[in-house]
Amino acid sequence: MYWRLKVSEYGKIGYADIEVAPLTLFVGDNNSGKSYLMSLLWGIQNFGIMQLMVKDTAEQWIEEERILADWIWDYMSKAWEEGSSVAQAGEVAQELQIVLRENIKSNKNIFLRKIFNSWDVKIESLEIELQDLNQISLRFERIKDKTGGMTDTFSFKSSTGNEISVSNMGMEGSGHYTDRILMCIIFSLITGIPLGNKTEDNRNLYLPAARTGFMLTKDLINRAGRNAAFNIVETEQEKMTPFVKPIIQFLDVINDLTYEERGDEKFHWVTEYLEKGMADGTVEMSTLPNKEVSYVPAGQGEAMSLRCVSAVVTELSPLILILKHKAYLNMLFYEEPEICLHPQLQQKIARVICRLVNSQLDMVVTTHSDIILQHINNMLALSGREDREGICQVLNYFPEDLLCTEQVRVYQLKSGEDKKTEVTELPCGPNGFAIPTFNDALDQIMDEAYVIQR
């Protein structure tokens, strides 16, 4: 990713400056805004650019958009003449940033309403700051397709080799055509995936803290009709309390999974580890139309309904099903993965998180678990040791379990005296991240133990 998120006066959050990494963790006080930040990031990754860049007509373009349109048109014209042309995103870094800023300023409130299904969530400012554009090459090509016709392709490539390509961008003629390419460029820079015909294919998935309850009641919710019952009615004639969009997406994804569809093979190890090492059995869905989820304990052949099994199984079941049966995943937003887990299993879910990140699944996680953070710290420290191979053999870890500091960002949210949340990026030291709010709570309970037990 090549951007930072900056917000001010967003709910309880006074100000936050967030750089999203392959693994981004939000820690800190309850009711401090962790889920607000994660929901905002989810919205940007899922539909934000389409909403934040929307305009009714080309007449609403600002001067920088016209400059970008001319710039794109020049490179596309060259591609039509010569077959391809290459530009550097840094050539128009200032214009890209201004266009993004001005469009966000106009559309941020409607954007928040779409995420939260409510006008109640307020934000003073929202900014997406593009970064490292000088390291990104943009290629425009015109190539023959299978039918013999000509196809226009846009792709960008970073200095790390990451490449994203978009084809069939539109018909010739400046207006709509350059507008679509501009949208492709900004969308791809921020989401890390191409803007194709499907912009909301649920590759960026939210696992809410209440996932167990939703798994146990999903059939009832489906019968009630989620879209009718839990989205704001535009006419406002019916007054209902809606779910937020991340939760609606979660319910949609779980409902749309099918036994026949297979997940990405690169997650196979994680799925087996979740089932054999944590759930002590397999989680599966029925091939019948009702898609009932069941659990088969290890060593037994008879399946049990999910409502009859332990909390650890119901808690892990959505993650297991998604990894087994969702073909495309780009990013996972995971609220409090430690819920219902014994400390031993909290360490194991931390290992799962590390493995998923190293399998190219970016993750944003909220957590109150010092055990999860300690395991991540251990993997960071271990990756920097020259004798890590020997230690990995002793502890039964593999290179895929380790993390490097460039992969991880940790942000602490803490309520200040004015009740506003302060968001602080925590530094990574030789032994990982020290979490003051965790340490303060542990110190207090140890002080009390000393007084009581002396």
Side-chain angles (χ1 to χ4, degrees):
M1 295 186 185
Y2 307 94
W3 58 282
R4 298 183 71 95
L5 172 68
K6 297 181 179 182
V7 299
S8 66
E9 299 303 322
Y10 173 45
K12 296 186 70 173
I13 297 168
Y15 178 77
D17 182 349
I18 306 296
E19 180 183 28
V20 181
L23 175 57
T24 306
L25 296 121
F26 295 128
V27 301
D29 297 342
N30 284 317
N31 195 30
S32 59
K34 297 187 294 296
S35 295
Y36 266 29
L37 277 178
M38 194 154 81
S39 295
L40 186 57
L41 290 169
W42 174 90
I44 290 169
Q45 289 297 119
N46 276 275
F47 52 75
I49 298 309
M50 302 301 293
Q51 293 296 314
L52 292 170
M53 295 288 291
V54 67
K55 286 183 182 295
D56 294 331
T57 65
E59 283 71 29
Q60 294 178 312
W61 281 11
I62 61 175
E63 179 61 26
E64 285 77 13
E65 283 171 307
R66 301 185 188 283
I67 292 172
L68 286 169
D70 291 342
W71 179 80
I72 290 169
W73 189 252
D74 288 344
Y75 277 100
M76 284 305 306
S77 299
K78 185 177 180 181
W80 293 336
E81 294 174 2
E82 303 177 10
S84 68
S85 63
V86 178
Q88 299 299 315
E91 295 175 24
V92 286
Q94 182 176 350
E95 287 80 5
L96 283 169
Q97 190 62 64
I98 292 173
V99 166
L100 193 54
R101 185 186 67 221
E102 293 304 313
N103 279 281
I104 290 173
K105 191 183 299 183
S106 300
N107 295 307
K108 67 180 188 302
N109 292 322
I110 295 175
F111 170 57
L112 280 183
R113 179 185 184 274
K114 182 164 185 179
I115 294 174
F116 292 101
N117 263 329
S118 171
W119 290 109
D120 293 340
V121 181
K122 308 296 184 183
I123 192 168
E124 183 178 276
S125 68
L126 166 63
E127 182 180 353
I128 296 174
E129 183 181 285
L130 300 174
Q131 295 182 304
D132 302 325
L133 294 184
N134 289 325
Q135 302 179 30
I136 297 171
S137 298
L138 305 174
R139 175 180 290 274
F140 303 92
E141 292 183 286
R142 168 159 280 197
I143 57 178
K144 282 189 177 181
D145 58 28
K146 294 180 180 179
T147 66
M150 303 305 292
T151 298
D152 292 328
T153 298
F154 153 75
S155 63
F156 84 73
K157 191 171 186 178
S158 70
S159 59
T160 59
N162 180 42
E163 187 165 8
I164 293 173
S165 180
V166 184
S167 300
N168 295 322
M169 292 176 293
M171 301 296 293
E172 292 184 29
S174 52
H176 174 73
Y177 188 69
T178 54
D179 188 27
R180 177 164 173 76
I181 298 175
L182 175 59
M183 186 77 76
C184 287
I185 292 172
I186 295 177
F187 184 90
S188 300
L189 287 172
I190 291 174
T191 66
I193 58 175
L195 174 59
N197 294 327
K198 285 187 171 183
T199 59
E200 294 182 308
D201 60 359
N202 294 323
R203 294 187 183 198
N204 306 299
L205 183 57
Y206 199 104
L207 293 182
R211 50 193 168 269
T212 287
F214 288 124
M215 288 300 294
L216 295 177
T217 59
K218 68 181 182 68
D219 295 334
L220 293 174
I221 293 172
N222 287 336
R223 283 198 290 272
R226 290 192 304 278
N227 288 332
F230 299 117
N231 278 305
I232 283 181
V233 179
E234 294 298 331
T235 62
E236 303 285 355
Q237 291 176 352
E238 295 184 50
K239 296 296 183 181
M240 294 185 178
T241 303
F243 289 144
V244 295
K245 275 292 171 56
I247 288 177
I248 295 173
Q249 180 215 42
F250 170 76
L251 292 168
D252 284 339
V253 168
I254 293 296
N255 187 58
D256 291 342
L257 293 176
T258 63
Y259 180 83
E260 293 77 17
E261 187 174 10
R262 297 287 99 181
D264 198 312
E265 183 64 27
K266 65 187 178 184
F267 302 135
H268 181 72
W269 184 95
V270 173
T271 305
E272 282 203 342
Y273 186 76
L274 284 165
E275 291 189 314
K276 295 180 179 179
M278 297 183 67
D280 196 28
T282 58
V283 177
E284 200 49 87
M285 64 175 60
S286 169
T287 57
L288 298 175
N290 65 358
K291 298 182 182 179
E292 183 177 359
V293 178
S294 60
Y295 169 71
V296 180
Q300 299 184 29
E302 189 171 342
M304 302 172 61
S305 173
L306 204 61
R307 61 181 175 271
C308 300
V309 303
S310 70
V312 65
V313 176
T314 57
E315 189 61 32
L316 294 175
S317 61
L319 179 59
I320 292 171
L321 291 173
I322 288 163
L323 294 178
K324 288 173 78 168
H325 297 293
K326 187 156 182 11
Y328 301 103
L329 280 174
N330 187 61
M331 198 168 187
L332 195 62
F333 297 81
Y334 203 167
E335 277 195 316
E336 301 178 28
E338 68 272 14
I339 292 176
C340 296
L341 299 186
H342 182 278
Q344 185 181 42
L345 293 186
Q346 290 184 35
Q347 182 182 10
K348 289 188 175 184
I349 199 67
R351 187 179 188 185
V352 164
I353 291 169
C354 295
R355 278 285 185 133
L356 290 174
V357 169
N358 285 323
S359 298
Q360 308 306 307
L361 179 64
D362 290 349
M363 297 191 70
V364 180
V365 177
T366 67
T367 183
H368 297 286
S369 172
D370 59 331
I371 294 174
I372 288 177
L373 262 296
Q374 187 57 58
H375 179 83
I376 290 170
N377 283 342
N378 288 346
M379 296 303 99
L380 289 166
L382 182 54
S383 69
R385 292 188 59 127
E386 294 183 359
D387 57 349
R388 58 183 172 274
E389 290 186 11
I391 297 176
C392 283
Q393 287 182 354
V394 171
L395 300 177
N396 196 31
Y397 288 127
F398 300 91
E400 296 82 3
D401 292 307
L402 308 185
L403 294 171
C404 62
T405 56
E406 292 77 14
Q407 291 176 286
V408 186
R409 297 290 182 274
V410 178
Y411 295 89
Q412 178 177 268
L413 285 78
K414 187 174 182 179
S415 297
E417 293 182 0
D418 59 355
K419 303 301 181 182
K420 283 292 183 181
T421 296
E422 300 171 357
V423 182
T424 306
E425 181 176 357
L426 301 179
C428 184
N431 296 313
F433 297 90
I435 313 296
T437 52
F438 287 179
N439 296 338
D440 292 346
L442 291 172
D443 289 343
Q444 180 179 344
I445 200 167
M446 291 306 297
D447 289 344
E448 290 181 1
Y450 174 76
V451 172
I452 293 168
Q453 298 175 18
R454 66 179 177 178

